[in-house]
Amino acid sequence: MKFDLVSDLHIDCWEENTDWIARKNSDILVVAGDICDDQDIGIEYIKMLDNIYNTVLWVDGNHEHEKSKKYPIESCRDYHTKVNHLGFLPTKSVIIENTAFIGACGWWDYCFAEPVLSKEYVKKEFGERVNKQAVDEFEELVKQDKEWIVKELETVKAESVVMVTHTLPHRSVYCENEHIRNDWYRGMFGNTLMETVRDSRIKYWCYGHSHHQSHKTINSVEYVCNPRGRPKTNHYANYKLVTLEI
């Protein structure tokens, strides 16, 4: 079985948003978050992709909640209801040809830059510069997403598993050349709780958030990131699909 992988499409930043589709190599598409900042436009884009691929499986990224006027927990709850599945992995895992696709956004636990930057420092900077009232809510989302993934792994009956998160699931996949606005921002690249997820059936862990394409093997799991990015930061103008095979 093959599937195509994309992430961080940021369709609200590009004039051409369908050029990569002509290169499709599979009937299954995995989208690892950050389609765009407008939830309704993003959902319509998923519906369009669903007419091209037999199956589209996806997770939300932080940018799906960028324009929400609600705090993150409420925004996620409302978004999950609005999506009404459509291959949305944070509400329902999917099994295809005895391979389970399990996913969640992942969010950040402020620990990703340790030991260089402490969790307390990153939380303080995020609170002062971005949103003080939402600081603790992100930690709750981190726990919820980890619990969802563990529960699905414990109950799913499949020979192999593909994990999908938006944020980075392991500190070893972080790229030192990331385009970041401030040093504290590095602490918001991923969820270190995901590093404790273990299951011999996991073949791939697909992720986004980073705007650096990457393919690394850690403990027999292939970690794959295929972002398009945004024109003003790290990006891939001549964007191409990555096709993976089980």
Side-chain angles (χ1 to χ4, degrees):
M1 181 191 70
K2 294 181 180 180
F3 64 92
D4 292 339
L5 172 65
V6 297
S7 77
D8 300 87
L9 294 173
H10 294 288
I11 63 173
D12 43 350
C13 297
W14 297 92
E15 292 184 5
E16 176 54 67
N17 291 302
T18 58
D19 49 336
W20 57 269
I21 299 174
R23 306 182 183 97
K24 69 187 287 285
N25 296 309
S26 169
D27 292 326
I28 303 168
L29 176 67
V30 171
V31 184
D34 273 10
I35 300 166
C36 70
D37 290 5
D38 187 294
Q39 293 183 356
D40 294 329
I41 292 175
I43 291 171
E44 289 304 310
Y45 191 77
I46 287 290
K47 291 179 180 178
M48 180 274 292
L49 293 175
D50 209 35
N51 289 325
I52 297 171
Y53 283 86
N54 290 349
T55 305
V56 178
L57 307 172
W58 58 296
V59 299
D60 52 335
N62 55 296
H63 273 270
E64 269 66 59
H65 306 278
E66 189 77 11
K67 291 185 177 180
S68 175
K69 296 180 180 179
K70 300 176 181 179
Y71 292 131
I73 289 178
E74 186 178 0
S75 177
C76 287
R77 186 183 302 119
D78 289 353
Y79 186 68
H80 290 191
T81 301
K82 180 188 294 187
V83 168
N84 192 25
H85 190 45
L86 287 172
F88 189 57
L89 296 176
T91 57
K92 185 178 180 181
S93 299
V94 174
I95 298 177
I96 303 173
E97 295 182 17
N98 220 9
T99 295
F101 290 81
I102 300 173
C105 174
W107 295 100
W108 47 76
D109 60 358
Y110 307 107
C111 298
F112 217 69
E114 290 183 337
V116 178
L117 302 175
S118 70
K119 175 179 180 178
E120 291 71 24
Y121 170 76
V122 175
K123 285 184 68 174
K124 176 178 176 294
E125 292 295 310
F126 177 78
E128 292 179 353
R129 298 169 183 261
V130 184
N131 192 331
K132 182 175 292 185
Q133 292 174 291
V135 169
D136 293 334
E137 287 203 12
F138 285 111
E139 288 191 283
E140 181 60 32
L141 287 171
V142 160
K143 295 175 184 176
Q144 289 179 12
D145 284 1
K146 164 73 180 306
E147 290 170 359
W148 164 258
I149 282 175
V150 170
K151 178 180 73 69
E152 292 299 289
L153 278 171
E154 290 175 346
T155 57
V156 73
K157 298 185 183 303
E159 288 185 2
S160 56
V161 174
V162 175
M163 303 296 301
V164 185
T165 55
H166 175 61
T167 55
L168 281 63
H170 202 291
R171 278 168 285 193
S172 295
V173 300
Y174 176 79
C175 177
E176 292 293 341
N177 293 324
E178 289 289 357
H179 175 88
I180 55 177
R181 295 187 295 272
N182 300 282
D183 61 348
W184 58 270
Y185 196 69
R186 177 178 173 178
M188 298 163 57
F189 264 82
N191 180 349
T192 61
L193 294 181
M194 296 300 178
E195 294 178 10
T196 65
V197 174
R198 296 284 189 273
D199 193 304
S200 61
R201 297 173 298 169
I202 300 175
K203 306 304 180 186
Y204 293 105
W205 198 309
C206 304
Y207 65 96
H209 200 46
S210 165
H211 287 182
H212 280 274
Q213 295 175 350
S214 178
H215 192 153
K216 294 183 178 180
T217 300
I218 305 171
N219 298 325
S220 301
V221 177
E222 294 187 51
Y223 290 79
V224 189
C225 183
N226 184 36
R228 182 170 199 180
R230 288 172 290 184
K232 293 183 179 180
T233 59
N234 297 326
H235 69 278
Y236 299 88
N238 185 25
Y239 186 57
K240 297 180 181 180
L241 291 159
V242 164
T243 303
L244 303 173
E245 186 170 4
I246 299 290

